[in-house]
Amino acid sequence: MPRDEPEWIMTRRRALGERIGDLRTAAGHSQESFAEATGISRRTLQRIEAGEGDPRYSDLLRIATALDKDMVTLMQTSTS
């Protein structure tokens, strides 16, 4: 990661990535097909799901739209 972050931020980032991966899988998408559906590169999607770095707001909007979820639903994680 580009900078040191407090553990609570890294924990929530990982939880968000896991949630996105779970929702993607439940929707029947592979990472490749989901990358195509969202217009996000597969590598960027892999990094988001792994909780690496900060996802761009526009990428989160694309993900929420492709999953037919609003941003609040997308961001709900067990650590929130």
Side-chain angles (χ1 to χ4, degrees), residues 48-69:
I48 290 170
E49 289 187 8
E52 299 171 359
D54 290 318
R56 293 185 318 180
Y57 183 73
S58 59
D59 290 340
L60 293 175
L61 285 172
R62 289 172 187 257
I63 289 167
T65 299
L67 292 169
D68 197 26
K69 306 286 183 195

Side-chain angles (χ1 to χ4, degrees), residues 12-22 48-51 77:
R12 289 186 179 179
R13 188 183 294 139
R14 285 188 297 266
L16 174 61
E18 186 176 318
R19 175 153 174 80
I20 289 169
D22 290 347
I48 290 170
E49 289 187 8
T77 63

Side-chain angles (χ1 to χ4, degrees), residues 4-70:
D4 291 331
E5 296 281 4
E7 184 61 34
W8 66 270
I9 289 177
M10 293 188 304
T11 298
R12 289 186 179 179
R13 188 183 294 139
R14 285 188 297 266
L16 174 61
E18 186 176 318
R19 175 153 174 80
I20 289 169
D22 290 347
L23 290 169
R24 172 187 57 76
T25 302
H29 282 284
S30 65
Q31 278 188 336
E32 187 171 332
S33 70
F34 196 62
E36 243 180 75
T38 59
I40 299 170
S41 75
R42 184 172 180 209
R43 178 64 187 134
T44 297
L45 184 59
Q46 288 171 331
R47 290 178 51 79
I48 290 170
E49 289 187 8
E52 299 171 359
D54 290 318
R56 293 185 318 180
Y57 183 73
S58 59
D59 290 340
L60 293 175
L61 285 172
R62 289 172 187 257
I63 289 167
T65 299
L67 292 169
D68 197 26
K69 306 286 183 195
D70 59 41

